[in-house]
Amino acid sequence: MGGALLSLIEDDARFALAGALVSADSRRVGAPAGHHAGLRYDCDWAAVGPLDVVIDFSAPAALPALIEQCLARHAALVTGTTGFDATQEAWLAAAAAHIPVLQAANFSLGIAVLIRLVREAAAALHAWDLEILEAHHARKHDAPSGTALALGAAAAAARGTSLEAAAVYARQGQTGPRGPGSIGFAVIRGGDVVGEHSVQLFAAGERLELVHRATDRLIFARGALEAAYWLAGKPAGRYTLDALLAARAG
């Protein structure tokens, strides 16, 4: 994602790159950061110049330093990192009292629209069985994906419940019949799949499928850049891609 962002920023006059950070053990440390005026990948925030917004696609362990630096620099934060625990989510919420924060599990604008459609379908077809299937490349660490969880959370909220109460993450052995109101998840990992998400709703005699397939990682970088441009300069608070879409729609 870092490389995709750098390639797009090179040709986007809205942005000037202040720095490109990676972990201290990354093989990229010291390598050129694209073709950006001699900038190189670094692992030290001291190498980063003045900035308005930070785009983060890293790991949960990087969050404390990330928040500390954004607060110190009064910079907006756009983060696509997934796998945060409850404590880390609380840190993000606390940071949003001082800076604008936009957090999304997936920065595809198509996925943002899919979440809207899932919310509407889950509410309208309240009694239908609902299942979420996701597929990603073999190197992905977390399962289900953050996007699948976001889809499930949207569906659960639309039905007046929570994902914690409704989710079924595994089925094996003599499970008995499907529980009414549950939201099932199925996970596929293999090859170089960029990302596929299918939300399926079932009733007697019919099925509705809402599907998004990503074939190019650049879509996530493009969405993150749109979010960063829109978020910079906003008042402190929590923001969503849904709010960005609403602003675009006027």
Side-chain angles (χ1 to χ4, degrees), residues 81-171:
T81 298
T82 58
F84 293 129
D85 61 24
T87 298
Q88 291 160 333
E89 291 287 355
W91 293 344
L92 280 171
H98 305 281
I99 58 172
V101 174
L102 193 155
Q103 178 187 12
N106 188 312
F107 276 91
S108 158
L109 297 184
I111 285 289
V113 173
L114 177 61
I115 290 174
R116 281 188 168 194
L117 295 174
V118 168
R119 190 181 299 122
E120 182 176 348
L125 307 174
H126 195 278
W128 290 32
D129 297 332
L130 196 153
E131 297 283 311
I132 298 172
L133 170 66
E134 60 101 340
H136 281 87
H137 54 85
R139 301 177 309 281
K140 187 169 178 61
H141 288 187
D142 55 324
S145 69
T147 302
L149 294 174
L151 291 165
R159 290 180 167 182
T161 185
S162 68
L163 190 57
E164 291 75 14
V168 175
Y169 294 114
R171 295 186 179 105

Side-chain angles (χ1 to χ4, degrees), residues 1 3-5 7-8 107 194 215-224:
M1 285 306 301
L5 287 164
S7 68
L8 292 178
F107 276 91
V194 174
T215 57
D216 186 343
R217 293 187 188 283
L218 283 178
I219 66 170
F220 309 123
R222 289 191 192 102

Side-chain angles (χ1 to χ4, degrees), residues 11 16 26 38 41 43 51-52 57-58 96 129-130 141 166 168 170 177 179 181 207:
D11 299 319
S26 172
Y41 286 100
C43 58
L51 48 81
D52 299 305
F57 285 93
S58 57
D129 297 332
L130 196 153
H141 288 187
V168 175
R207 174 170 63 180

Side-chain angles (χ1 to χ4, degrees), residues 15-36:
F15 296 95
L17 185 66
L21 291 181
V22 292
S23 61
D25 59 355
S26 172
R27 58 182 176 82
R28 293 181 181 267
V29 174
H35 301 95
H36 296 274

